[in-house]
Structure formats: C-alpha cells, structure tokens
Amino acid sequence: MPELYNKEGLKARFDNWEKQLNGEKSSDFHSFRKESFDSYLKVGTPSRKHEEYKYTGLDKVIEKNFTEDDWNRSTDVTEQEVKENVIDDLDAYDIFFVNGILNKELSHWDELSKEINLMTVKEAFEANEKDCIENFGKHATPESDPFTAINDALTDEGIFINIKKGQILTKPVMIYYLNYTEEGGVITHPHNLFVFGENSQGEIIEKFDTIGENHSLSNIVSEIVVNRSAVVKYYKIQSEHNGNVHVGNTQVWQDENSNFTSTTLSFGGMMVRNNLNIALDASHCEANMYGLSLLKDNHHVDHHTTVDHRKPHADSNELYKGVFDDKSTGVFNGKIFVRQDAQKTNAFQSNRNVLLSEDATINTKPQLEIWADDVKCSHGATTGQIDPEQLFYLRSRGMDKQSARALLLYAFAMDIVEHIGNEQVRNYLENLISERLHKNF
C-alpha cells in the first residue's frame, strides 16, 4: 500500500483527482500542475538524507501523523472561533482560508476588490490575466524545492493580488489561515501570488493558527513580485500548536530601486520549515529580513533563507534570533550569493540564539558565496545563555528571578519586533511575547 506523501501515494492521489476534473484537465492551470508533478517525481519527498533537510525529517513526521481522511475536512467554523484568532483592532483587509479553502464570506473580498485587482488564481488563469500568467510558478519553481513541486501539483486554491502602478494600499492585506482540526487531521496546499506594480506600496500579513487538537499539515507557497521602485512590507506570524506541521516557501523577486522587508515570527509547531528566498535582480534594490523564534516543549522550527545578489549596487540585511527552552530545536541556514556582476554589493547576515535548557538545540549555518571582488559582506552566528551578570544586576535591584529573566528575553526579542512598521501589529506581538515570557513560555 502506498504511503501518504511519497511518490506512490501522491501519484495515486494526483491520478484519482485528475479523473474528477472533467473539462478543467485541458486548462492552462492544470497543465502547470502536471508539469510540476512530473518535476516532483524526479526527486520525491525529501528525507534527512537530502542535504537541505538533514535536520528536519518531514517525511517521517507526515507519514506517522496523517491519514488519507485528512485531505478533505469540513471547512465550517463558528464566528467565535474566527474571532479568537484575529488581531484585535487591526484595521486591515481580511482574507480567510479555512482548511486551505478560501472563504469569501468571512473575507473583506468585495471591499478589497474595489481597491485592487483581486481574484482567485484559477479565475486569473481563466481571465488570462497577464501578470498572473507571467509570474505564477515562475519564481517559486517546482525545481527549487520538492515541497513547492507538491504544492504546485496539488493546489486548488490561492489568491492573486495585483497592486497597480503607483498605487498605495490604504490598509494592509491580512491573510488568516485557520486549520480547523476538531473533526480530524487537515492537509492544505494554498498557493498565492502578489504582484506590486512600479512605484506601488503595501503591506501583506500572513497569520497561521490551528483550531482543535488534531494534526494539521500546511504546505503553502507565496510568490511576491516587487517591481521597479515598489516598497513592500511582509509579515509572517506562526502561532500553532504541538500537532502542526508547516512547510512554507516564500519567493521574492525584486526589480530596480525596490525595497522589501520581511519579518517572520514563529511561536511553535511540531515541525516548521520556512524557506524564504529573495532574488535581487536589478541595481539599487534593498532587502531586509528579520526573524524570531520563541520555542518550548518539543517544538522544531527550521529557517532556510537565501539572498541572491545578481546585479550591482544592491543591499541586503538579515537578522534572525531564537530563544529555545525545554527540548525544542531550532535550525538556521542562511545563504548569501553574490554573483560576478553584483559589484558594490553590501550584504550582512547575523543569527543570535539563547538556549534556556540543556536539552534545547540550535543548528546554525550562515553562508556566504562571493564571485565579485568589490563588495562589503559579513556574516556570523552566536549561541549562549542568559548573561548571568545582567541577571544579577536586575535581581540586585529587587526584581525576582523570573521577572528579571523575562525582561532580558523581552529586550532580546524586541530587536526583531521593533522593525515592524505597523503599530497595531507591533503592539499585538509585544503583548503576545510579554505574556508568553511571564508565563515561563
């Protein structure tokens, strides 16, 4: 009997699904799926033998915790369950996915559609939308990662957002992904495309939550195109529980004079893998990448980042931090490529970690590969414990040990949160982090 998420299991699922598509089998969208699945079959699902997944054995975790029944679950959620997972007081255009399925009724779909070009990816293909056809699957290619290939082959949901030339979004786009597991496990494969036109500006926020105690698997791809002189801020917030498996591939492409800032905050999950890849494909563009992990129990979060400097006079800055307690595990693998044409590049990368227990683990590997000779680049990583002198100083001022420890860790985390420009999102995260630290995680 084929397993769930290997070549045999996925081929059986893909073949059965294809038989039910009827007229859609001849569509351009499905042709893309078939090509992606053929690409996946060449490599299969990565295991720990795969160099890029040596610390994150997703294949075993998926086979152990998920079943065939998890592919199709009810998407019914109550208003109260939705309300418990939204960011209070955030003035934004809300988009909701429930178990990987877009819910237009919950979303501000009509309101946002009046401001920008908004449709599902399938609708965009049917309408022959030029920016969708030219970009969907062209940046996060099936060859770039096996989980991207699986997503491309099996995706049936996703949104296409197109911010036109010179347009400035009046409110951020807030995308909630709710996995509702009260009735059993859930498997989802959404794939989104965000295209920011020349001189446009906007914010995209993605937030992932699980309702219920059963397992959920999210294999999501987000492609972000930042055209000339556009300014984009992107936030990813993961606040999931012990039964969640998350594989996220975020692929960014930048044109001349563009500015992109990403902030990723991970607060838990059985096994989380975040791939963030940025291609600086023109001169005078800038990319900033920030990340924070606050982990406890047996949680595992793996951040893989790549910055590809392809053209001269571009800057990138990267700072990822982690706090690991109990038996949690962190992985940081950051790569910076500076191509031969990318003279006058400035690229800086740093990874800093605090281990709070003897059983917590961090595997960190910052990497620089430089083919140009006129550049300024640096990278580094540190791992340690809470500074005993700082702890002693605070306690000598009358603070108890737990409060002193929480204050030091809060200050450590704020180095990342302070880069979030949206005040409402920043306040939400400051309160969330403070609450967790004062509860000893």
mmCIF file of all heavy atoms in Angstrom, residues 410-430:
data_model
loop_
_atom_site.group_PDB
_atom_site.id
_atom_site.type_symbol
_atom_site.label_atom_id
_atom_site.label_comp_id
_atom_site.label_asym_id
_atom_site.label_seq_id
_atom_site.Cartn_x
_atom_site.Cartn_y
_atom_site.Cartn_z
ATOM 1 N N TYR A 410 12.747 39.575 26.794
ATOM 2 C CA TYR A 410 11.869 40.522 26.084
ATOM 3 C C TYR A 410 12.720 41.539 25.303
ATOM 4 O O TYR A 410 12.450 41.816 24.129
ATOM 5 C CB TYR A 410 10.970 41.229 27.091
ATOM 6 C CG TYR A 410 9.993 42.201 26.492
ATOM 7 C CD1 TYR A 410 8.789 41.757 25.951
ATOM 8 C CD2 TYR A 410 10.267 43.563 26.469
ATOM 9 C CE1 TYR A 410 7.884 42.648 25.400
ATOM 10 C CE2 TYR A 410 9.367 44.461 25.926
ATOM 11 C CZ TYR A 410 8.176 43.996 25.389
ATOM 12 O OH TYR A 410 7.285 44.895 24.840
ATOM 13 N N ALA A 411 13.743 42.052 25.947
ATOM 14 C CA ALA A 411 14.631 43.004 25.269
ATOM 15 C C ALA A 411 15.334 42.342 24.086
ATOM 16 O O ALA A 411 15.501 42.958 23.020
ATOM 17 C CB ALA A 411 15.658 43.542 26.269
ATOM 18 N N PHE A 412 15.721 41.089 24.261
ATOM 19 C CA PHE A 412 16.372 40.329 23.178
ATOM 20 C C PHE A 412 15.417 40.212 21.982
ATOM 21 O O PHE A 412 15.806 40.392 20.821
ATOM 22 C CB PHE A 412 16.747 38.946 23.725
ATOM 23 C CG PHE A 412 17.426 38.030 22.749
ATOM 24 C CD1 PHE A 412 18.783 38.146 22.494
ATOM 25 C CD2 PHE A 412 16.708 37.029 22.096
ATOM 26 C CE1 PHE A 412 19.420 37.289 21.605
ATOM 27 C CE2 PHE A 412 17.336 36.167 21.212
ATOM 28 C CZ PHE A 412 18.691 36.298 20.971
ATOM 29 N N ALA A 413 14.148 39.903 22.265
ATOM 30 C CA ALA A 413 13.167 39.708 21.186
ATOM 31 C C ALA A 413 12.794 41.019 20.509
ATOM 32 O O ALA A 413 12.510 41.049 19.308
ATOM 33 C CB ALA A 413 11.921 39.030 21.747
ATOM 34 N N MET A 414 12.796 42.126 21.273
ATOM 35 C CA MET A 414 12.350 43.404 20.703
ATOM 36 C C MET A 414 13.268 43.901 19.594
ATOM 37 O O MET A 414 12.861 44.739 18.780
ATOM 38 C CB MET A 414 12.232 44.454 21.812
ATOM 39 C CG MET A 414 11.029 44.264 22.727
ATOM 40 S SD MET A 414 9.444 44.159 21.862
ATOM 41 C CE MET A 414 9.104 42.407 22.047
ATOM 42 N N ASP A 415 14.506 43.420 19.528
ATOM 43 C CA ASP A 415 15.383 43.780 18.409
ATOM 44 C C ASP A 415 14.754 43.432 17.067
ATOM 45 O O ASP A 415 15.059 44.045 16.045
ATOM 46 C CB ASP A 415 16.726 43.039 18.533
ATOM 47 C CG ASP A 415 17.665 43.713 19.505
ATOM 48 O OD1 ASP A 415 17.344 44.821 19.960
ATOM 49 O OD2 ASP A 415 18.716 43.122 19.821
ATOM 50 N N ILE A 416 13.897 42.408 17.065
ATOM 51 C CA ILE A 416 13.218 41.997 15.832
ATOM 52 C C ILE A 416 11.883 42.738 15.691
ATOM 53 O O ILE A 416 11.579 43.299 14.638
ATOM 54 C CB ILE A 416 12.967 40.470 15.851
ATOM 55 C CG1 ILE A 416 14.305 39.717 15.960
ATOM 56 C CG2 ILE A 416 12.201 40.052 14.591
ATOM 57 C CD1 ILE A 416 15.282 39.993 14.845
ATOM 58 N N VAL A 417 11.109 42.757 16.755
ATOM 59 C CA VAL A 417 9.754 43.324 16.685
ATOM 60 C C VAL A 417 9.780 44.815 16.342
ATOM 61 O O VAL A 417 8.880 45.323 15.664
ATOM 62 C CB VAL A 417 9.014 43.079 18.017
ATOM 63 C CG1 VAL A 417 7.629 43.716 17.997
ATOM 64 C CG2 VAL A 417 8.891 41.578 18.288
ATOM 65 N N GLU A 418 10.824 45.526 16.777
ATOM 66 C CA GLU A 418 10.870 46.967 16.525
ATOM 67 C C GLU A 418 10.973 47.308 15.039
ATOM 68 O O GLU A 418 10.742 48.447 14.646
ATOM 69 C CB GLU A 418 12.045 47.590 17.281
ATOM 70 C CG GLU A 418 13.403 47.216 16.741
ATOM 71 C CD GLU A 418 14.543 47.836 17.547
ATOM 72 O OE1 GLU A 418 14.268 48.396 18.631
ATOM 73 O OE2 GLU A 418 15.692 47.751 17.095
ATOM 74 N N HIS A 419 11.291 46.332 14.208
ATOM 75 C CA HIS A 419 11.362 46.586 12.769
ATOM 76 C C HIS A 419 9.996 46.517 12.099
ATOM 77 O O HIS A 419 9.885 46.758 10.895
ATOM 78 C CB HIS A 419 12.302 45.574 12.109
ATOM 79 C CG HIS A 419 13.744 45.769 12.483
ATOM 80 N ND1 HIS A 419 14.511 46.791 11.994
ATOM 81 C CD2 HIS A 419 14.541 45.075 13.351
ATOM 82 C CE1 HIS A 419 15.726 46.724 12.509
ATOM 83 N NE2 HIS A 419 15.773 45.697 13.341
ATOM 84 N N ILE A 420 8.961 46.147 12.860
ATOM 85 C CA ILE A 420 7.609 46.077 12.298
ATOM 86 C C ILE A 420 7.007 47.483 12.292
ATOM 87 O O ILE A 420 6.804 48.088 13.352
ATOM 88 C CB ILE A 420 6.735 45.114 13.118
ATOM 89 C CG1 ILE A 420 7.291 43.688 12.970
ATOM 90 C CG2 ILE A 420 5.276 45.176 12.677
ATOM 91 C CD1 ILE A 420 6.598 42.657 13.820
ATOM 92 N N GLY A 421 6.752 48.000 11.117
ATOM 93 C CA GLY A 421 6.286 49.371 10.990
ATOM 94 C C GLY A 421 4.836 49.559 11.382
ATOM 95 O O GLY A 421 4.442 50.643 11.823
ATOM 96 N N ASN A 422 4.012 48.531 11.217
ATOM 97 C CA ASN A 422 2.594 48.650 11.533
ATOM 98 C C ASN A 422 2.410 48.639 13.048
ATOM 99 O O ASN A 422 2.685 47.635 13.718
ATOM 100 C CB ASN A 422 1.830 47.478 10.894
ATOM 101 C CG ASN A 422 0.336 47.620 11.047
ATOM 102 O OD1 ASN A 422 -0.182 47.662 12.152
ATOM 103 N ND2 ASN A 422 -0.359 47.715 9.919
ATOM 104 N N GLU A 423 1.937 49.739 13.607
ATOM 105 C CA GLU A 423 1.854 49.887 15.063
ATOM 106 C C GLU A 423 0.917 48.866 15.709
ATOM 107 O O GLU A 423 1.201 48.319 16.772
ATOM 108 C CB GLU A 423 1.391 51.303 15.409
ATOM 109 C CG GLU A 423 1.371 51.583 16.901
ATOM 110 C CD GLU A 423 0.957 53.021 17.204
ATOM 111 O OE1 GLU A 423 0.769 53.786 16.249
ATOM 112 O OE2 GLU A 423 0.812 53.350 18.392
ATOM 113 N N GLN A 424 -0.217 48.582 15.050
ATOM 114 C CA GLN A 424 -1.179 47.637 15.625
ATOM 115 C C GLN A 424 -0.621 46.220 15.653
ATOM 116 O O GLN A 424 -0.808 45.485 16.626
ATOM 117 C CB GLN A 424 -2.487 47.695 14.833
ATOM 118 C CG GLN A 424 -3.210 49.026 14.990
ATOM 119 C CD GLN A 424 -4.123 49.323 13.822
ATOM 120 O OE1 GLN A 424 -3.792 49.077 12.676
ATOM 121 N NE2 GLN A 424 -5.286 49.861 14.130
ATOM 122 N N VAL A 425 0.076 45.839 14.603
ATOM 123 C CA VAL A 425 0.696 44.507 14.576
ATOM 124 C C VAL A 425 1.821 44.435 15.611
ATOM 125 O O VAL A 425 1.974 43.435 16.328
ATOM 126 C CB VAL A 425 1.234 44.182 13.165
ATOM 127 C CG1 VAL A 425 1.973 42.849 13.161
ATOM 128 C CG2 VAL A 425 0.092 44.145 12.156
ATOM 129 N N ARG A 426 2.601 45.508 15.676
ATOM 130 C CA ARG A 426 3.713 45.532 16.650
ATOM 131 C C ARG A 426 3.179 45.436 18.081
ATOM 132 O O ARG A 426 3.715 44.663 18.891
ATOM 133 C CB ARG A 426 4.524 46.815 16.468
ATOM 134 C CG ARG A 426 5.828 46.823 17.268
ATOM 135 C CD ARG A 426 6.704 48.006 16.909
ATOM 136 N NE ARG A 426 6.090 49.279 17.260
ATOM 137 C CZ ARG A 426 5.637 50.169 16.377
ATOM 138 N NH1 ARG A 426 5.757 49.925 15.083
ATOM 139 N NH2 ARG A 426 5.072 51.304 16.771
ATOM 140 N N ASN A 427 2.122 46.169 18.400
ATOM 141 C CA ASN A 427 1.550 46.098 19.754
ATOM 142 C C ASN A 427 1.031 44.695 20.062
ATOM 143 O O ASN A 427 1.202 44.188 21.180
ATOM 144 C CB ASN A 427 0.408 47.116 19.890
ATOM 145 C CG ASN A 427 0.922 48.538 19.911
ATOM 146 O OD1 ASN A 427 2.099 48.780 20.187
ATOM 147 N ND2 ASN A 427 0.051 49.488 19.620
ATOM 148 N N TYR A 428 0.386 44.076 19.074
ATOM 149 C CA TYR A 428 -0.130 42.710 19.258
ATOM 150 C C TYR A 428 1.021 41.751 19.595
ATOM 151 O O TYR A 428 0.916 40.935 20.525
ATOM 152 C CB TYR A 428 -0.856 42.264 17.984
ATOM 153 C CG TYR A 428 -1.126 40.788 17.925
ATOM 154 C CD1 TYR A 428 -2.195 40.224 18.622
ATOM 155 C CD2 TYR A 428 -0.305 39.941 17.176
ATOM 156 C CE1 TYR A 428 -2.434 38.862 18.568
ATOM 157 C CE2 TYR A 428 -0.537 38.575 17.122
ATOM 158 C CZ TYR A 428 -1.608 38.046 17.824
ATOM 159 O OH TYR A 428 -1.832 36.685 17.778
ATOM 160 N N LEU A 429 2.112 41.875 18.853
ATOM 161 C CA LEU A 429 3.238 40.955 19.071
ATOM 162 C C LEU A 429 3.961 41.249 20.380
ATOM 163 O O LEU A 429 4.402 40.325 21.081
ATOM 164 C CB LEU A 429 4.200 41.035 17.889
ATOM 165 C CG LEU A 429 3.641 40.437 16.592
ATOM 166 C CD1 LEU A 429 4.495 40.823 15.404
ATOM 167 C CD2 LEU A 429 3.543 38.916 16.701
ATOM 168 N N GLU A 430 4.102 42.514 20.737
ATOM 169 C CA GLU A 430 4.730 42.859 22.015
ATOM 170 C C GLU A 430 3.941 42.256 23.174
ATOM 171 O O GLU A 430 4.521 41.686 24.104
ATOM 172 C CB GLU A 430 4.813 44.377 22.160
ATOM 173 C CG GLU A 430 5.875 45.025 21.269
ATOM 174 C CD GLU A 430 5.847 46.537 21.342
ATOM 175 O OE1 GLU A 430 4.915 47.095 21.968
ATOM 176 O OE2 GLU A 430 6.737 47.175 20.750
#
